[in-house]
Amino acid sequence: MKPLKNIGMRVALVAIFAAGLQVMTEREGGAVIFEDQASCEAFNVPVSLPGVAENATIYGELCRPQGAAPDTVQLLVHSTWYNHREWDPPQKKYSHVRAANNAGFATFNIDRLGTGRSSHPPSHLVTPELVVDALHQVILALRAGELGGHAFSKVVWIGSSFGSEYGWINAFKYPGDIDAFVLNGLLHFTKATFADFAIGTASLSVCQDPVFKFIEEDCGYITNKLGMKGPLYYYEPEAAPGMLEGIDDIFLRDMVSANLLAGSLPYVGIVGPQLPTVPFVVDPETSPSRAIQVPTLIVLGDRDQIVCGPPDGLECTRDNIFALEAPYFGVTPDVYIAPNTGHAVTLHKSGPQTYKVINDWIAANL
């Protein structure tokens, strides 16, 4: 396994462009503290993965209300071309971490395998199953009290986009890991027009990228082109203030293994990375999400360009989404549709209301 190279250069780039945006302050031992007094600590969790060197790690930040030891931890699993900062951007009004801590929950906010500060194995080795295996080991560590000295009795998987899909696979491979799922921005259906745009127009190898070419030399990792997060993931008129003026590109933008992306597409109704893509109907009987037997909340923006709207998308109402998705689960899911919101549901002006819905739902169902 090759670690992320030139991490110092990446930190320097972020510092140059994002000076003054970060409101957390470093403390000894890697701990940090939010301005509203939620305490956080950073971890590199060792994971053992087939075919990957022994020193692989998953980076995560454990945050708790100051002085509290909650029994429930939210495992935050970010979307493609993001990292853990999707859940904790510089504008704290739109931080799910902060909202969850203020609601009395702990959060463990991770970088997925191959992204951010987590280990970057050779890109061809990274698969959905390997990502899930790594997070399974993180979950075991959270439950055993190996992170932060407190054993969590309840773990909630909160995913964004493919971060939700890996929750489906976790439920199939490791029943009993998770006590509830919150699945943001993902259905068992994808617009072919979006897939063509995302794969054929909006992405490129990190070796061709003006920033990541200095950080990662494995050309099998890909990223979104600078300036493309708006048409990819936002209903732009309602994006969180400042997000599309640079914060997304500078602070949240990251890379993903092309092999991981290709392996993830069939679960959401896309044939593969060759263009033109052809959508197909995922068989509910074969979807790993059928293994989910615990409370489940599906959250979708009504302007999510991956599934909603013409020429080949859905009218994203609650009734329509429930009718589509309910057959894919072993329980009856709840559905929340965020108004005037695109794919990145937590990074729009509606974000604070969406966080409240999520945290209230968790409190009611656990």
Side-chain angles (χ1 to χ4, degrees), residues 80-344:
T80 298
W81 296 329
Y82 280 118
N83 53 42
H84 70 282
R85 290 301 176 212
E86 178 182 5
W87 304 107
D88 189 27
Q91 315 96 312
K92 293 304 169 185
K93 178 179 178 180
Y94 299 95
S95 168
H96 178 83
V97 170
R98 182 176 185 178
N101 295 159
N102 289 344
F105 298 109
T107 55
F108 195 63
N109 188 14
I110 62 97
D111 286 339
R112 294 180 345 207
L113 187 71
T115 295
R117 300 180 187 179
S118 290
S119 293
H120 286 219
S123 57
H124 69 277
L125 296 179
V126 186
T127 63
E129 291 72 24
L130 202 69
V131 169
V132 170
D133 287 348
L135 292 181
H136 167 65
Q137 295 172 57
V138 169
I139 293 163
L140 294 181
L142 288 167
R143 289 192 179 276
E146 296 172 6
L147 306 178
H150 175 72
F152 294 98
S153 61
K154 297 177 181 177
V155 181
V156 180
W157 184 297
I158 302 187
S160 175
S161 195
F162 279 145
S164 296
E165 179 186 296
Y166 307 138
W168 302 347
I169 298 172
N170 171 272
F172 179 79
K173 291 194 70 174
Y174 301 109
D177 261 9
I178 299 298
D179 296 281
F181 287 92
V182 178
L183 305 172
N184 295 333
L186 192 75
L187 305 181
H188 293 80
F189 164 81
T190 304
K191 290 163 58 175
T193 52
F194 177 85
D196 286 346
F197 170 68
I199 299 168
T201 302
S203 63
L204 77 170
S205 167
V206 293
C207 295
Q208 300 171 305
D209 186 78
V211 176
F212 288 127
K213 68 182 180 181
F214 297 109
I215 299 168
E216 174 60 65
E217 61 188 18
D218 183 338
C219 298
Y221 281 95
I222 60 176
T223 188
N224 66 274
K225 295 176 182 176
L226 286 167
M228 283 291 181
K229 277 285 181 61
L232 279 168
Y233 285 172
Y234 289 88
Y235 174 50
E236 297 188 43
E238 294 295 318
M243 192 60 64
L244 298 182
E245 286 72 37
I247 288 176
D248 195 307
D249 277 342
I250 294 166
F251 211 77
L252 281 68
R253 178 173 172 263
D254 219 297
M255 65 186 73
V256 69
S257 158
N259 190 60
L260 173 63
L261 189 60
S264 303
L265 294 176
Y267 293 100
V268 296
I270 294 296
V271 171
Q274 293 78 26
L275 298 174
T277 50
V278 179
F280 65 93
V281 177
V282 179
D283 183 355
E285 296 291 338
T286 62
S287 176
S289 58
R290 265 289 182 92
I292 294 179
Q293 300 287 339
V294 296
T296 298
L297 174 65
I298 297 169
V299 179
L300 190 75
D302 66 350
R303 302 294 189 109
D304 188 329
Q305 50 271 66
I306 293 181
V307 298
C308 307
D312 54 345
L314 307 173
E315 183 184 0
C316 288
T317 65
R318 183 193 177 281
D319 288 347
N320 285 350
I321 300 310
F322 179 83
L324 173 69
E325 288 296 296
Y328 290 95
F329 293 89
V331 295
T332 301
D334 293 316
V335 175
Y336 173 70
I337 304 298
N340 299 313
T341 300
H343 184 63

